[in-house]
Amino acid sequence: MELPVIIVNFKVYEQAVGQRALELAKIHEKVALETGASIAIAVNALDVVRVAQAVSIPVFAQHFDPIGFGSHTGHIHPAVLKEAGVYGSLLNHAEHQLADNVLIASVCQAKELGLFTIVCAETPEKGAEMMGCGPDLIA
């Protein structure tokens, strides 16, 4: 992924889930290829694998959990995302904020797996503080 980059978060809008997520991803891919713009997308957990395997632009998960393998029902393991071709993850979005220790553990685990991390911060001061945990980008 080249910087600067346009990152579009599909969130969980009705127009951006399921089959529509795949169609929207292909539109973003087409625009990136036709214009040369660096475009990435963040897709909800149920669509991220299918979308990542269908397009050539970077696909981000909207979240993952810093867990190991084992009994973690309902959690998203970052190694599964990596294996499926997901490029990275948003972390600490305003709509899914994490405790600092969870955020730090998430960034560390992502680095170990080679996943790109974009950490969201609500203020410039919080962004500066989060730089210490080593994310690839701060939003």
Side-chain angles (χ1 to χ4, degrees):
M1 183 173 73
E2 292 185 32
L3 299 178
V5 61
I6 299 167
I7 302 170
V8 179
N9 184 357
F10 287 15
K11 299 199 176 201
V12 188
Y13 290 115
E14 185 176 355
Q15 302 89 341
V17 296
Q19 182 60 32
R20 292 168 306 281
L22 187 57
E23 292 165 5
L24 194 55
K26 289 182 183 263
I27 291 168
H28 284 76
E29 176 185 47
K30 182 179 184 212
V31 170
L33 293 172
E34 288 178 356
T35 65
S38 182
I39 298 175
I41 55 177
V43 181
N44 87 79
L46 293 178
D47 295 319
V48 70
V49 171
R50 178 171 58 148
V51 170
Q53 293 174 349
V55 297
S56 61
I57 60 174
V59 176
F60 285 79
Q62 294 172 339
H63 171 78
F64 72 82
D65 301 293
I67 57 171
F69 287 105
S71 58
H72 301 287
T73 301
H75 292 266
I76 301 169
H77 196 298
V80 176
L81 297 173
K82 178 69 175 181
E83 184 178 315
V86 174
Y87 191 82
S89 183
L90 298 178
L91 294 168
N92 203 46
H93 191 279
E95 297 164 0
H96 195 144
Q97 293 188 339
L98 304 173
D100 286 352
N101 64 321
V102 174
L103 181 57
I104 291 166
S106 298
V107 171
C108 289
Q109 191 172 13
K111 281 184 169 297
E112 291 172 9
L113 294 168
L115 286 169
F116 194 97
T117 55
I118 301 170
V119 170
C120 301
E122 56 193 13
T123 66
E125 295 78 20
K126 189 65 172 181
E129 185 181 314
M130 289 297 102
M131 285 300 294
C133 70
D136 296 293
L137 289 176
I138 299 279

